[in-house]
Amino acid sequence: MHILAIDPATHTGFARFSSGSVSLVSDIVSFDEELGAFNRQYRRWLTDQIKRYGISEVVIEAAILPTGNTNIVTLKKAYAINMNTHDIAKHLGCAVTEVQNGTWRAHFLCGRMPPKEQRSRGKLSAWYKQAVKQRCAERGWRVRDDNEADALGILDWARAQRDPAYAVHSTPLFEQAAS
């Protein structure tokens, strides 16, 4: 099982897992601000990841309809990442799975929900970002920002879906045995 998890954003978080070596790698990758260069650089990066690391599945957070004042360029980049991921992965014989942010977060945060006072529009996103980073810290994973933390959360969900033994060990009761 060689999984690449992607949190699509202006600064894209990614996490890679290879079961043969039980290797876990995560980071953030940024691309040029200009849309054409952004698109080319992302396509090159993803192609390299799949080929270099023998990725068999890419798991990406599903695109959502924006709320509030989302910048149109940011939206174009997020949708471009999603479409390019499907195109490149399928072309290279790699499976693609999209997961809704609510689905992987419910798993990764063990069902924790924001308190009522944090459920307003301006506070909800910040609460989730902090909760996911905190959960990464609880797992012993050092992250640079919320994009990398989200990618690790997505990867954790994907591994739990594909490996029942990992699913048991990724819960708080058993997590000290998780790798």
Side-chain angles (χ1 to χ4, degrees):
M1 171 172 36
H2 301 285
I3 301 173
L4 175 65
I6 298 174
D7 175 49
T10 300
H11 303 285
T12 297
F14 73 92
R16 251 188 348 259
F17 173 76
S18 298
S19 59
S21 62
V22 192
S23 147
L24 177 66
V25 174
S26 66
D27 207 346
I28 310 151
V29 63
S30 297
F31 307 103
D32 197 287
E33 289 298 314
E34 189 272 320
L35 285 173
F38 176 92
N39 199 47
R40 285 186 303 278
Q41 290 168 6
Y42 178 76
R43 290 181 67 84
R44 262 191 307 258
W45 175 81
L46 181 60
T47 299
D48 179 64
Q49 291 290 305
I50 293 170
K51 287 181 174 181
R52 180 181 297 188
Y53 300 104
I55 301 299
S56 55
E57 181 179 13
V58 177
V59 181
I60 185 169
E61 186 176 82
I64 57 170
L65 290 174
T67 58
N69 295 327
T70 303
N71 180 313
I72 190 68
V73 173
T74 301
L75 281 177
K76 287 178 181 180
K77 289 176 180 179
Y79 292 137
I81 288 172
N82 187 290
M83 291 183 65
N84 281 313
T85 298
H86 280 274
D87 179 39
I88 292 166
K90 299 277 177 153
H91 176 73
L92 296 174
C94 189
V96 178
T97 301
E98 286 192 41
V99 59
Q100 298 292 327
N101 63 10
T103 300
W104 72 259
R105 282 178 180 161
H107 159 81
F108 192 62
L109 297 177
C110 305
R112 283 184 272 178
M113 297 294 292
K116 273 190 175 178
E117 64 274 7
Q118 296 295 319
R119 293 183 191 167
S120 66
R121 203 152 131 181
K123 296 179 180 179
L124 190 61
S125 178
W127 185 89
Y128 275 115
K129 288 174 193 262
Q130 185 57 41
V132 170
K133 288 193 296 189
Q134 180 182 344
R135 181 75 177 121
C136 284
E138 290 168 5
R139 299 291 307 271
W141 300 336
R142 290 186 171 180
V143 296
R144 289 167 195 77
D145 72 3
D146 55 281
N147 300 300
E148 183 179 9
D150 284 358
L152 283 163
I154 294 165
L155 179 66
D156 191 77
W157 172 84
R159 288 184 66 195
Q161 297 301 302
R162 282 134 194 86
D163 181 358
Y166 179 80
V168 169
H169 292 294
S170 69
T171 61
L173 181 59
F174 301 105
E175 69 187 349
Q176 63 272 12
S179 57

